[in-house]
Amino acid sequence: MPTFKLKHQALILLLIPFTIPWLGYHFLQQSESWIISTEKEKLEFLAQACASVLSDRPELIPDTSDRQEILYVRPLPQDMLLDGYSDDWQNLIDQSYQFGNCQDSTCFRLSLGHRGSYYYLFVEVHDDELIYAPPNNDRRINHDHLELTLSGPDGSPHRYQLSTSAPGQLLATPADSDSDNLPFSFEPRIRAFWQETKHGYNLEIRLSKQLINDSLSIRLIDAVHDGSANYLGHEHLQQLLHPSLKINEQIQRFSRPGIRLWVVDPFGTVLARHDRIRQKADDSKESILTTLSRAVYRFILKQPTVKFSDSLTHTDHLVGLAVTEALNGQPSTHWYQTSDKRALILASSHPISLNENIRGAVIVETTNNELLEMHNLALERIINFTLLFFIITWIALWWVSGRLTRRVIRLRNQTEALASSDGSIALNRQPIEITGNDELTDLAKSFSELIELVANYHDYLEKLAGRLSHELKTPLAIV
């Protein structure tokens, strides 16, 4: 029977725990590839299904074939307080429209929103020299003011002027070509607040939706003391575009936690958006032991996060490879990284086709949080199993070392028992027997053979004196 050496036994016991991480790593790689592929297929199917529903509702998708310049109007989460301060507009100022170069001359930024039956405008003007209107608000005297042109319900344009002799609340006054010949009046459905700032002034405006059809224009008149004026903005009307509630109702049917859906027109302008990308699915109840172990793993493994910087939260225009390919008629799926590099987002897009024409695209996005959670769960199980096998291996090594010690002690005791007090070796006693099939067993056999040789030689020496004495007493034996 071949010998099963002790070093081989120890090597096997030491290698067993390390095979678990190795096998787990290869299993994790294959699992991640499968999970990513499955997640891509899910998003692609969701984008295709959503695009198919919208393709069957062509009346929901606006025709942009003859569209001119637009002003995007975002929904507001709450009614705005007309005070001229930008506190309520912080989420929208980054997406505002800028007119003029603020570094070289006068400029202004325009933010738009709507809520209920009102449109809200926030105009942030940079002007080093303010010239207020006279107390009687005489238009013939040069002063800083704002001109607002609206397309009325009948489609005809109506122009209004916003000016004041001092900071505070104000009402718009009609400024059409024939208004100079009419008695001075105000439009109560257009209210504003003029707030002076260190860079110029802010003008916060609220106007009723009854006054406007679908377009407006805004122009800033910056008066100069020499009687001249600088003009910024547009005289021609610009179309108002805001997210469609009807499209939003359609895409909500496909919503679930961790998913964000977009619908864009052929220019990439956002027509609808439903965002649950930061929302987590309901977590199942965990045992106390699992909760404690995960609390430890949070310090070791990278954790999913919903606290990432997302520049697309309030955007009105969507760009990216997935959007471009979908608007070119090709469904696509791509990864991209958030601006703070704290999360990866998987975006899948599908074109919206009406009569073989591309009328827009659907984009479905999700973060890598679900993938990271599965990755961490697999790693946690691998680590747990590895620790368990290390404990089992430690117990096995303890048992093997104890068994080896007991066999060595038995070998020592049996060896000592063979020697008598007078130094002789008693072969009639129980021979050395060590069970097993390793080096210690071979050592016990070698000890037995050596002791037998020593005992025979000792017996020979004991009998040698008697033989010599007998030979000396018998001379004939010598002859």
Side-chain angles (χ1 to χ4, degrees), residues 308-406:
F308 53 85
S309 176
D310 186 11
S311 58
L312 301 180
T313 302
H314 302 284
T315 187
D316 59 359
H317 191 78
L318 211 58
V319 295
L321 190 58
V323 179
T324 303
E325 292 184 357
L327 294 178
N328 288 330
Q330 296 295 327
S332 66
T333 303
H334 296 282
W335 287 97
Y336 72 89
Q337 198 170 36
T338 57
S339 57
D340 59 356
K341 299 182 179 180
R342 298 187 66 183
L344 288 172
I345 294 180
L346 179 63
S348 181
S349 61
H350 198 281
I352 301 173
S353 300
L354 297 175
N355 300 324
E356 299 183 355
N357 294 322
I358 304 299
R359 295 284 295 275
V362 173
I363 299 92
V364 184
E365 296 178 331
T366 186
T367 64
N368 64 332
N369 283 345
E370 186 175 352
L371 176 62
L372 197 55
E373 285 179 359
M374 293 182 180
H375 179 271
N376 287 351
L377 180 60
L379 278 180
E380 288 172 14
R381 290 180 176 177
I382 291 172
I383 294 173
N384 290 339
F385 277 113
T386 302
L387 291 176
L388 178 62
F389 269 88
F390 266 112
I391 293 173
I392 293 174
T393 303
W394 181 82
I395 294 173
L397 285 173
W398 182 271
W399 178 82
V400 169
S401 62
R403 180 172 177 268
L404 181 62
T405 302
R406 289 192 299 272

Side-chain angles (χ1 to χ4, degrees), residues 417-427 429 455 458 462:
L418 291 175
S420 304
S421 58
D422 59 356
S424 61
I425 297 176
L427 291 175
R429 297 190 180 184
H458 188 272
E462 285 181 343

Side-chain angles (χ1 to χ4, degrees), residues 141-335:
I141 299 177
N142 194 28
H143 62 276
D144 294 337
H145 62 278
L146 200 73
E147 285 187 356
L148 190 66
T149 305
L150 311 177
S151 64
D154 58 354
S156 59
H158 298 279
R159 189 160 53 97
Y160 301 90
Q161 179 175 309
L162 292 154
S163 60
T164 183
S165 58
Q169 293 185 5
L170 62 129
L171 294 174
T173 59
D176 294 322
S177 57
D178 57 348
S179 59
D180 292 336
N181 301 321
L182 298 175
F184 190 81
S185 63
F186 294 99
E187 174 52 73
R189 291 174 292 181
I190 303 179
R191 295 180 176 270
F193 196 101
W194 187 298
Q195 184 68 254
E196 191 170 328
T197 66
K198 63 179 181 180
H199 300 294
Y201 61 92
N202 295 336
L203 195 59
E204 193 168 12
I205 308 167
R206 187 189 71 186
L207 60 96
S208 174
K209 290 183 178 179
Q210 297 175 352
L211 290 172
I212 187 170
N213 182 11
D214 62 352
S215 57
L216 65 79
S217 68
I218 189 167
R219 187 170 67 153
L220 175 70
I221 292 85
D222 176 32
V224 185
H225 283 292
D226 61 4
S228 62
N230 299 318
Y231 296 87
L232 290 174
H234 295 285
E235 286 189 287
H236 61 274
L237 294 172
Q238 294 176 282
Q239 182 182 356
L240 295 178
L241 180 64
H242 45 77
S244 169
L245 294 178
K246 293 183 178 180
I247 297 178
N248 202 45
E249 289 175 359
Q250 296 295 322
I251 65 176
Q252 279 185 12
R253 297 157 51 188
F254 301 93
S255 176
R256 66 178 179 86
I259 290 292
R260 178 166 61 192
L261 296 112
W262 304 84
V263 178
V264 299
D265 67 8
F267 298 94
T269 306
V270 177
L271 300 178
R273 167 180 167 270
H274 192 72
D275 191 353
R276 297 176 67 186
I277 198 168
R278 285 183 168 86
Q279 185 177 347
K280 291 184 178 180
D282 295 335
D283 295 330
S284 58
K285 294 183 178 180
E286 297 178 344
S287 63
I288 297 178
L289 183 60
T290 303
T291 303
L292 292 176
S293 65
R294 289 199 170 180
V296 175
Y297 287 130
R298 286 191 185 98
F299 296 98
I300 304 174
L301 305 176
K302 181 181 179 182
Q303 298 298 315
T305 180
V306 295
K307 296 179 180 179
F308 53 85
S309 176
D310 186 11
S311 58
L312 301 180
T313 302
H314 302 284
T315 187
D316 59 359
H317 191 78
L318 211 58
V319 295
L321 190 58
V323 179
T324 303
E325 292 184 357
L327 294 178
N328 288 330
Q330 296 295 327
S332 66
T333 303
H334 296 282
W335 287 97

Side-chain angles (χ1 to χ4, degrees), residues 14-78:
L14 290 173
L15 288 179
I16 285 177
F18 293 99
T19 59
I20 304 301
W22 182 79
L23 293 173
Y25 173 74
H26 287 278
F27 172 75
L28 192 59
Q29 280 189 321
Q30 295 179 358
S31 299
E32 282 186 353
S33 300
W34 178 80
I35 292 171
I36 292 174
S37 176
T38 304
E39 191 68 19
K40 286 183 178 180
E41 291 177 0
K42 286 167 55 179
L43 291 188
E44 290 168 359
F45 175 78
L46 197 60
Q48 183 179 4
C50 190
S52 177
V53 169
L54 294 177
S55 296
D56 293 336
R57 302 287 303 275
E59 71 279 4
L60 300 180
I61 309 298
D63 187 6
T64 58
S65 58
D66 57 348
R67 191 181 75 177
Q68 304 297 321
E69 293 185 58
I70 67 164
L71 291 173
Y72 196 82
V73 185
R74 298 171 180 82
L76 299 173
Q78 59 188 11

Side-chain angles (χ1 to χ4, degrees), residues 3 12 51 139 166 323 342 355 410 412 415 418 464:
T3 301
I12 290 174
R139 297 195 190 98
V323 179
R342 298 187 66 183
N355 300 324
R410 184 179 177 187
R412 182 201 64 189
T415 304
L418 291 175
L464 181 60

